[in-house]
Amino acid sequence: MTTQTATPAAPQTPHRREQILQALAHMLEHQAGQRITTKSLAAEVGVSEAALYRHFPSKARMFEGLIDFIEETLLSRVNLILSEEKDTLARCQRILLLLLKFAELNPGITRILTGDALQGEHERLRDRVTHMFDKLESQLKQVLRERKLREGKGFSVEESQLANLLLAYVEGRLSQFVRSQFRLQPTANFDTQWQFIHNQLLQS
């Protein structure tokens, strides 16, 4: 994790828990295509598998620790954007850029967002990621709906459809990032692409 560290759930052992989550994120970035086992993760951290289980009861809980970090980081920063920015389309732009930059700074974690790293893992992990994206889409929908109240004009296309389109753009860029083995940066050409999206939104 690059932008900040995950908040540990157990205050008495923050350093080791954080170290385990950072090692997992590092392995997700540098061992793409390989299923991470607790044995290999323990070796990466430099502890025994038993030591891992003293901090996390299962590998699924380790993944959940990273998902907690993703959700807390993104949703708190979306709220910050909403408090700082009042223009509807500027809000949308900043939210999309936030998601793309977060992925760019955290390649391994992006594999969780796309589901690539969750193949063969517990189904509840995919459910949690889906739920988080649902929250982001709902937030975008609310931002778009508030345009009529804030600026006195709405959209001819239903806001839920526009929110879905905006999030689909982000998810597509994240998938390209993972598929290119992190060579195709999510923010590449964002300004040009956003200008096109911006113009289309104004015409919708």
Side-chain angles (χ1 to χ4, degrees):
M1 294 171 287
T2 305
T3 54
Q4 66 184 68
T5 56
T7 302
Q12 69 273 21
T13 57
H15 176 71
R16 183 64 76 190
R17 287 177 61 89
E18 179 182 311
Q19 188 179 18
I20 291 168
L21 294 180
Q22 289 177 336
L24 177 56
H26 181 269
M27 292 179 73
L28 288 172
E29 177 180 354
H30 296 283
Q31 297 184 24
Q34 301 179 38
R35 192 165 186 270
I36 295 172
T37 64
T38 53
K39 181 178 180 180
S40 61
L41 179 58
E44 178 78 15
V45 179
V47 298
S48 65
E49 286 186 75
L52 289 184
Y53 289 121
R54 283 198 293 271
H55 300 283
F56 294 95
S58 66
K59 188 173 64 166
R61 288 296 178 88
M62 298 174 202
F63 274 105
E64 284 187 312
L66 290 181
I67 295 171
D68 287 340
F69 163 75
I70 296 167
E71 189 170 87
E72 290 165 10
T73 301
L74 293 180
L75 295 181
S76 65
R77 292 184 183 183
V78 166
N79 287 334
L80 182 60
I81 289 170
L82 298 183
S83 69
E84 293 176 345
E85 182 61 65
K86 302 309 176 186
D87 179 78
T88 297
L89 296 187
R91 282 177 157 189
C92 292
Q93 178 187 21
R94 289 183 61 182
I95 290 171
L96 298 192
L97 190 57
L98 164 69
L99 302 179
L100 296 175
K101 281 187 173 179
F102 178 82
E104 194 165 287
L105 292 170
N106 297 279
I109 286 177
T110 305
R111 292 188 57 217
I112 295 177
L113 290 173
T114 63
D116 176 70
L118 301 181
Q119 298 298 320
E121 302 295 342
H122 200 289
E123 185 178 352
R124 77 169 182 269
L125 299 174
R126 292 187 293 278
D127 289 342
R128 282 207 54 190
V129 172
T130 297
H131 184 58
M132 186 195 66
F133 274 112
D134 288 344
K135 286 182 180 179
L136 292 169
E137 186 170 334
S138 294
Q139 188 66 77
L140 284 168
K141 180 170 66 176
Q142 185 62 33
V143 167
L144 293 166
R145 282 182 173 171
E146 289 178 1
R147 186 186 188 214
K148 194 163 188 177
L149 295 174
R150 292 178 174 277
E151 301 166 31
K153 48 193 171 184
F155 299 95
S156 59
V157 178
E158 191 176 332
E159 289 87 353
S160 61
Q161 295 182 30
L162 294 176
N164 179 262
L165 177 64
L166 292 176
L167 195 62
Y169 165 75
V170 169
E171 291 192 64
R173 295 309 307 260
L174 301 193
S175 292
Q176 290 176 341
F177 186 43
V178 171
R179 190 171 64 245
S180 69
Q181 297 183 3
F182 312 127
R183 290 190 296 270
L184 183 58
Q185 298 297 299
T187 60
N189 304 312
F190 175 75
D191 290 342
T192 301
Q193 293 172 349
W194 169 253
Q195 191 59 54
F196 177 80
I197 294 170
H198 177 275
N199 293 340
Q200 293 302 308
L201 287 172
L202 289 179
Q203 294 173 28
S204 65

